[in-house]
Amino acid sequence: MRIMNGKLKYNLMLILAALIWGSAFVAQSVGMDYIGPYTFNSVRSFLGSIILLPVIHFMDKGKSAEERKKEDRKVLVKGGIFCGIILTFSTLLQQIGLVYTSAGKAGFITALYILIVPILGLFIGKKVGTKTWIGVALAVVGMYLLCITSGFSIAFGDLMVLLCAFVFSLHILAVDYFSPKVDGVKLSCIQFFLCGILSAVPMMIFEQPQMGQILDAWLPIAYAGILSSGVAYTLQIISQKHLNPTVASLLMSLESVFAVLTGWLILHEKLTLREFLGCVLVFVAIILAQLPEKKQQAAG
C-alpha cells in the first residue's frame, strides 16, 4: 500500500508538471501582447536559470564530498552549452509560432516530439516498433486535419511550431546523452542561462524592448520562467526517478491536452470539428507511440 501511495504521489507530480507546461502556452501567447518573442524568451530563460540556483544549492547540501568530486564539470559545461544552443532554437521557433497560431494547436503540434524522437533514433541504431509507426501514420493524418488548409498550405505559425517540435526532439536526444553523466538540474540551469544570452542578441537587434514593456508582461513571463522552466522541470526530475519511463512519458504527454483546455478556458479559443478530430488523432498517436511492444512487455 505504501508503494502504491508513493507512486501515486509521483504520478500526481508529473501530471502537475504537464499542467504547468500545457498552460504555459497560454502565458506565452498572452506575453506576445506586450513584448516580442525574442524578448520573452530571453527574460523567461534568465528567470528559469535563476530559479534553479536555490534548488542546486539545497541538492548540493545533501551530497557527500566524494559525490561532489565525482562530478565532471567539463562534461557538465559542454552538455549545458550544447543543449542550450539547441534549446534556444526550439523555444524561439515555438515563441515566434505562437504569434501566428493558437495556444491549443501549438501544444498539440509541439507534442509531436514524442513521435519524432524514436524516428530520429533510427539514425543512431535504435529500432522503432510497429506501434510507433502506426502512431506516426495517425499523427500525419491528425496534423493534416489540424494544420493544413483547404488550399493545401500550412500556416506560418503552425510550420514554426512544427519545426520547434523537430528541433526539440534533437534537444531530448542531447539531454538523454548528457543527463546520465551530469547533474540534471545543473545542466538545465546552464542551458537556460545560455538560452537567455543567445535570445538577447536578436532581442537587442530587432526588438529593443523598453523596461516598461517587460514589466507589463511580468505575469506571463513569471509563469513561463518560474513555473514552466523552474518548477515543472524539477518535478519531472524528481518523479522520473521513481516511475517507469513509459508511464512517465504518457503522463507528460498530457501537456498537449492541458494546452487545448487552458486555451479554451482562458483565451476562449475555439477549434472547428475538423481541428478537434485532428487533435484527437494526434493525442491517440502520442499515447500509442509510448506503449511498449509485446516483446518488451514479456521481458519486463
Side-chain angles (χ1 to χ4, degrees):
M1 181 65 78
R2 288 182 180 179
I3 295 175
M4 289 297 293
N5 289 337
K7 285 190 175 182
L8 177 60
K9 178 176 70 174
Y10 296 116
N11 284 338
L12 292 174
M13 287 171 67
L14 262 191
I15 291 173
L16 177 58
L19 172 61
I20 293 171
W21 285 324
S23 56
F25 282 100
V26 173
Q28 290 172 254
S29 183
V30 172
M32 295 301 91
D33 294 338
Y34 305 96
I35 53 179
Y38 301 119
T39 302
F40 187 92
N41 207 54
S42 179
V43 179
R44 166 199 178 176
S45 298
F46 277 129
L47 186 58
S49 179
I50 292 170
I51 289 300
L52 288 177
L53 291 176
V55 178
I56 292 171
H57 174 71
F58 286 114
M59 287 179 68
D60 278 347
K61 271 190 172 183
K63 293 179 181 178
S64 64
E66 187 177 341
E67 286 176 323
R68 291 187 191 127
K69 287 181 181 179
K70 287 182 179 179
E71 291 182 348
D72 194 331
R73 292 186 179 181
K74 288 184 179 179
V75 176
L76 175 63
V77 173
K78 181 181 177 181
I81 292 174
F82 190 73
C83 293
I85 292 173
I86 302 175
L87 182 66
T88 301
F89 281 104
S90 66
T91 52
L92 282 178
L93 284 167
Q94 183 186 77
Q95 200 60 47
I96 293 171
L98 278 167
V99 177
Y100 304 96
T101 192
S102 68
K105 286 174 72 175
F108 266 96
I109 297 171
T110 301
L112 284 174
Y113 68 78
I114 300 178
L115 295 170
I116 298 172
V117 168
I119 294 175
L120 291 177
L122 287 173
F123 296 97
I124 53 176
K126 294 185 178 181
K127 294 182 179 180
V128 177
T130 304
K131 289 179 181 177
T132 301
W133 287 121
I134 296 174
V136 170
L138 285 174
V140 170
V141 176
M143 283 292 296
Y144 175 82
L145 295 175
L146 184 62
C147 304
I148 307 300
T149 65
S150 56
F152 292 97
S153 62
I154 186 168
F156 177 75
D158 298 335
L159 179 60
M160 289 297 100
V161 180
L162 184 58
L163 288 173
C164 156
F166 178 79
V167 178
F168 192 64
S169 300
L170 298 176
H171 178 263
I172 292 173
L173 293 174
V175 171
D176 183 64
Y177 176 79
F178 285 106
S179 59
K181 303 176 181 180
V182 297
D183 186 298
V185 181
K186 290 180 180 178
L187 181 71
S188 181
C189 184
I190 294 173
Q191 71 171 7
F192 280 133
F193 183 72
L194 182 62
C195 185
I197 293 175
L198 294 177
S199 299
V201 176
M203 174 188 79
M204 298 307 297
I205 296 174
F206 300 112
E207 295 173 352
Q208 300 176 348
Q210 301 297 316
M211 183 57 68
Q213 294 174 311
I214 296 175
L215 292 176
D216 286 339
W218 73 269
L219 185 57
I221 289 175
Y223 192 93
I226 298 173
L227 292 179
S228 180
S229 299
V231 175
Y233 186 85
T234 304
L235 287 173
Q236 179 192 0
I237 288 186
I238 295 172
S239 302
Q240 280 200 253
K241 290 181 180 178
H242 304 276
L243 296 174
N244 178 283
T246 300
V247 175
S249 297
L250 281 169
L251 292 171
M252 286 188 286
S253 71
L254 290 172
E255 169 191 356
S256 57
V257 175
F258 289 130
V260 171
L261 291 177
T262 52
W264 171 63
L265 287 171
I266 301 174
L267 299 181
H268 307 293
E269 294 178 348
K270 294 181 180 179
L271 291 175
T272 65
L273 180 60
R274 174 192 175 99
E275 290 172 331
F276 178 76
L277 180 58
C279 287
V280 171
L281 286 175
V282 172
F283 186 59
V284 170
I286 290 169
I287 293 179
L288 187 61
Q290 299 308 303
L291 296 177
E293 298 294 325
K294 289 183 179 180
K295 289 182 179 179
Q296 292 176 330
Q297 289 176 328

